Amino acid sequence: MLGAIEAGGTKFVCAVSDGDFSSIDRIIIPTQEPADTMAGVYAFFQQYAITALGVGCFGPIDLDPGSSMYGFIRSTPKLAWRDFNILGAIRDRFNIPIAFNTDVNVAAYGELQRGAAARGINSCIYITVGTGIGGGVIIDKHIINAVNHPELGHISVKRYPTDSFAGSCPYHKDCLEGLAAGPSLAERCQGDPRHLPANHALWHMEAYYLAQAIVNYTLVLSPDKIIIGGGVMQQPRLMAMIKKSFMEQMNGYVNIKDVDNYIVSPQLKNDAAIIGGLIMAQELVGNGNCHRAPAERRSLSHDG
Amino acid sequence: MLGAIEAGGTKFVCAVSDGDFSSIDRIIIPTQEPADTMAGVYAFFQQYAITALGVGCFGPIDLDPGSSMYGFIRSTPKLAWRDFNILGAIRDRFNIPIAFNTDVNVAAYGELQRGAAARGINSCIYITVGTGIGGGVIIDKHIINAVNHPELGHISVKRYPTDSFAGSCPYHKDCLEGLAAGPSLAERCQGDPRHLPANHALWHMEAYYLAQAIVNYTLVLSPDKIIIGGGVMQQPRLMAMIKKSFMEQMNGYVNIKDVDNYIVSPQLKNDAAIIGGLIMAQELVGNGNCHRAPAERRSLSHDG
């Protein structure tokens, strides 16, 4: 039996599955104080004989195996979780191989491996646009973690011509997240952006920023596919506006043959991180040479 | 004997070496019409019994092994070279394994493998700022080519507050290259930017743009090291200004412990692409399982 945890800032999803990656059981635990939340996690998994666990965790997290803080949640605004050793806490309870990475990296991995996107592609970027903007990166079928995990949401962007909003990022003010995550939309319209009509000017602005980010990710990483989801993407017309703006901003510099097949919605919907976690768990036990967490597996695969 | 070609828009450098990667002979050929330039290339290498060749070529080039244009130079402004099958031309002359990639990717590989930067690092970004802005990316000791090679120079950037220059990129106007490559500086100061005093306001602007780009590359790729060179970097105070602006713009979001060891000058100076090409050539013949060009070797190493 395999286990997966999607440790999010709002809720923890825990699931167990056998080898086909459809959950046999799952539980949703609201994210409260670490002790309370983790007690629920332990109680769930203790019902099952799991052999490996894949964990996708909200960030920032320390993924440097050489760091004394490896496996810790770092400078999150959720103060109770700041510098909480979540990997260590799970390891103390379950003496099994554990794969550990960011929620968005694990979701990206799930999408690449299992989503409809997976057919013949080796690389993807997974972006989620909600209360923040996060992203995971898969290159050559492996999660990218070099020194740290990507922080795609905080890139700087060029202003939309008529946008004078100062930006809501506490670190950078008007980075992508500061200008285009849900809270910045809510602040601009003084309400819930979900109630804005589909042709509201704010959606054109939103599409411009997200498309610009996708242009930049494309130029830097040249992936096979960009997968974009999250609460803000529930505005049904936004996807088409992003694609249009992307083609305009790219202006033919990189030849994207079929934008509808390049910028896509998540195929696994809300299950990407859980399925990614289950796949990563299976990889830990499915191969006699691979009993390592993914951040280490990466080195093993390339050099060994 | 190994061979390397740095095929640049201004000059071709050809070199031969034995296993220690210091050239035994080299030649510089001005980049003219393909037939003339390539004749010089052939004549040089025909003097030697080379067993493999590493080629770093100006771009954009097609690096998709499944493409009918694989190995071609594509939409370059140098019209005589547009859609020239440079890899095919070399293959027709020399029936040996050939590694083929962009000049900046090959230079990045050389820096990673041989430069002082190499000690204990697995990933780097190599940026050159001259008549254009180009970049190569090494992750996990491998050149990144997903669908295509990176085009780091064309990312969009936020404006420097006082900069009203329209931008000189024919595709995007005010992308990074359009705002920060040499020609944009020359146009702004109506002269040779090398003659500007070190404290001229244009250098602060230049540092802001390059630092902003490095912030974005860092957030997307999280490499071990950023190597930045090229003609514009010959302004001796620019490097320090870039580091300062980088730390200001990053504003502590990603913890860069030692910026002086993170943003560095090329250690191999002008030899990075030639040395990278020689190393890639050696890899083609040094291992019985690896008789492939790097773009293919990448798949082999990861999946095979």
Side-chain angles (χ1 to χ4, degrees):
Chain A
M1 190 81 83
L2 303 167
I5 305 173
E6 180 181 5
T10 309
K11 63 181 194 289
F12 275 47
V13 182
C14 302
V16 290
S17 166
D18 53 23
D20 73 348
F21 306 122
S22 54
S23 322
I24 287 171
D25 193 9
R26 70 163 64 199
I27 189 176
I28 294 175
I29 304 166
T31 307
Q32 298 168 315
E33 300 285 297
D36 300 335
T37 308
M38 296 308 293
V41 170
Y42 304 146
F44 174 76
F45 286 112
Q46 275 158 359
Q47 304 171 83
Y48 301 96
I50 53 171
T51 54
L53 193 53
V55 181
C57 184
F58 69 102
I61 54 179
D62 189 330
L63 288 175
D64 176 0
S67 162
S68 60
M69 304 293 272
Y70 175 63
F72 285 59
I73 297 172
R74 301 306 310 272
S75 55
T76 169
K78 302 184 84 67
L79 295 182
W81 291 86
R82 189 171 289 185
D83 290 340
F84 176 66
N85 181 2
I86 185 166
L87 177 59
I90 301 167
R91 276 191 174 151
D92 283 350
R93 284 292 178 132
F94 302 101
N95 182 27
I96 54 174
I98 300 170
F100 180 70
N101 218 295
T102 64
D103 46 3
V104 279
N105 270 340
V106 174
Y109 197 64
E111 281 286 339
L112 186 91
Q113 294 288 343
R114 295 292 284 190
R119 290 188 270 273
I121 72 163
N122 296 309
S123 59
C124 72
I125 297 176
Y126 176 95
I127 308 158
T128 175
V129 187
T131 52
I133 298 180
V137 179
I138 309 290
I139 295 287
D140 287 332
K141 297 188 178 166
H142 286 76
I143 292 172
I144 279 204
N145 299 304
V147 175
N148 219 309
H149 53 81
E151 286 285 354
L152 300 180
H154 290 267
I155 64 168
S156 70
V157 285
K158 188 162 59 175
R159 285 260 166 189
Y160 187 65
T162 58
D163 184 24
S164 58
F165 180 62
S168 59
C169 172
Y171 286 90
H172 315 108
K173 286 280 186 195
D174 61 350
C175 67
L176 176 69
E177 180 170 301
L179 291 174
S184 79
L185 293 174
E187 214 174 311
R188 283 190 187 89
C189 71
Q190 293 289 306
D192 186 336
R194 284 174 294 191
H195 301 151
L196 290 174
N199 59 357
H200 193 285
L202 269 188
W203 294 122
H204 290 278
M205 180 206 74
E206 180 71 6
Y208 172 84
Y209 284 129
L210 295 176
Q212 182 184 162
I214 295 172
V215 166
N216 282 359
Y217 303 150
T218 299
L219 293 169
V220 175
L221 284 165
S222 189
D224 291 306
K225 209 164 278 277
I226 303 272
I227 301 159
I228 180 164
V232 169
M233 292 304 296
Q234 285 168 24
Q235 163 52 245
R237 292 222 211 145
L238 184 55
M239 179 60 108
M241 292 161 72
I242 290 171
K243 290 176 186 171
K244 182 164 177 287
S245 182
F246 170 82
M247 294 304 279
E248 286 166 3
Q249 292 185 58
M250 185 64 91
N251 195 24
Y253 186 73
V254 169
N255 178 25
I256 302 292
K257 284 168 199 145
D258 177 8
V259 69
D260 292 327
N261 202 30
Y262 180 62
I263 304 175
V264 300
S265 300
Q267 299 296 306
L268 303 176
K269 308 215 184 312
N270 296 326
D271 285 340
I274 283 294
I275 292 176
L278 291 169
I279 296 170
M280 290 166 75
Q282 191 186 51
E283 288 172 352
L284 294 179
V285 290
N287 178 332
N289 297 319
C290 263
H291 286 231
R292 300 194 190 188
E296 300 161 276
R297 183 178 57 80
R298 178 175 56 98
S299 305
L300 183 71
S301 306
H302 291 217
D303 300 328
Chain B
M1 190 81 83
L2 303 167
I5 305 173
E6 180 182 4
T10 310
K11 64 181 192 291
F12 275 48
V13 182
C14 302
V16 291
S17 166
D18 52 24
D20 73 348
F21 306 123
S22 55
S23 336
I24 286 171
D25 192 9
R26 72 162 64 197
I27 190 175
I28 294 175
I29 303 166
T31 307
Q32 299 169 315
E33 298 285 299
D36 300 333
T37 308
M38 297 308 292
V41 170
Y42 303 148
F44 174 76
F45 286 113
Q46 275 159 358
Q47 306 171 81
Y48 301 96
I50 53 172
T51 54
L53 192 53
V55 182
C57 184
F58 69 101
I61 55 179
D62 189 331
L63 288 176
D64 176 0
S67 162
S68 61
M69 304 292 271
Y70 175 63
F72 285 57
I73 297 172
R74 301 307 310 270
S75 55
T76 170
K78 301 183 86 66
L79 295 181
W81 291 85
R82 190 172 286 184
D83 291 340
F84 176 66
N85 181 1
I86 185 166
L87 176 59
I90 300 168
R91 276 190 173 150
D92 283 349
R93 283 291 177 133
F94 302 100
N95 184 27
I96 53 175
I98 300 170
F100 180 69
N101 217 295
T102 64
D103 46 2
V104 280
N105 270 341
V106 174
Y109 197 63
E111 281 286 339
L112 186 92
Q113 293 288 343
R114 294 292 284 192
R119 289 187 270 275
I121 72 163
N122 296 310
S123 59
C124 73
I125 297 176
Y126 177 96
I127 307 158
T128 176
V129 187
T131 52
I133 299 181
V137 179
I138 309 290
I139 295 287
D140 287 331
K141 296 189 178 165
H142 286 76
I143 292 173
I144 280 203
N145 300 304
V147 175
N148 218 310
H149 53 82
E151 287 285 354
L152 300 180
H154 290 266
I155 64 168
S156 70
V157 285
K158 189 162 59 177
R159 284 258 166 191
Y160 187 66
T162 59
D163 183 24
S164 58
F165 179 63
S168 59
C169 172
Y171 287 91
H172 315 106
K173 286 277 184 197
D174 61 351
C175 67
L176 176 68
E177 181 170 299
L179 291 174
S184 78
L185 294 175
E187 213 175 313
R188 284 189 187 90
C189 72
Q190 294 289 307
D192 187 337
R194 285 176 293 190
H195 301 150
L196 291 172
N199 59 356
H200 193 284
L202 269 186
W203 294 122
H204 290 278
M205 181 207 74
E206 179 72 6
Y208 172 85
Y209 284 129
L210 295 176
Q212 182 184 163
I214 296 172
V215 166
N216 282 0
Y217 304 149
T218 299
L219 292 169
V220 175
L221 285 165
S222 190
D224 291 305
K225 208 163 281 273
I226 304 271
I227 301 159
I228 180 163
V232 169
M233 292 304 296
Q234 284 168 25
Q235 162 53 245
R237 292 220 211 147
L238 184 56
M239 179 61 109
M241 293 160 73
I242 290 171
K243 291 175 185 172
K244 182 165 177 287
S245 182
F246 170 82
M247 295 305 279
E248 286 166 5
Q249 292 185 57
M250 186 63 91
N251 196 23
Y253 186 73
V254 168
N255 179 26
I256 302 292
K257 283 167 200 145
D258 177 8
V259 70
D260 291 327
N261 201 29
Y262 180 61
I263 304 175
V264 300
S265 300
Q267 299 295 306
L268 302 177
K269 310 217 184 313
N270 297 325
D271 286 340
I274 283 293
I275 292 175
L278 290 169
I279 296 170
M280 290 167 74
Q282 192 186 49
E283 287 171 354
L284 294 178
V285 290
N287 178 332
N289 295 320
C290 262
H291 285 232
R292 300 196 190 188
E296 300 162 277
R297 183 178 57 81
R298 177 174 58 98
S299 304
L300 182 72
S301 304
H302 291 216
D303 302 330

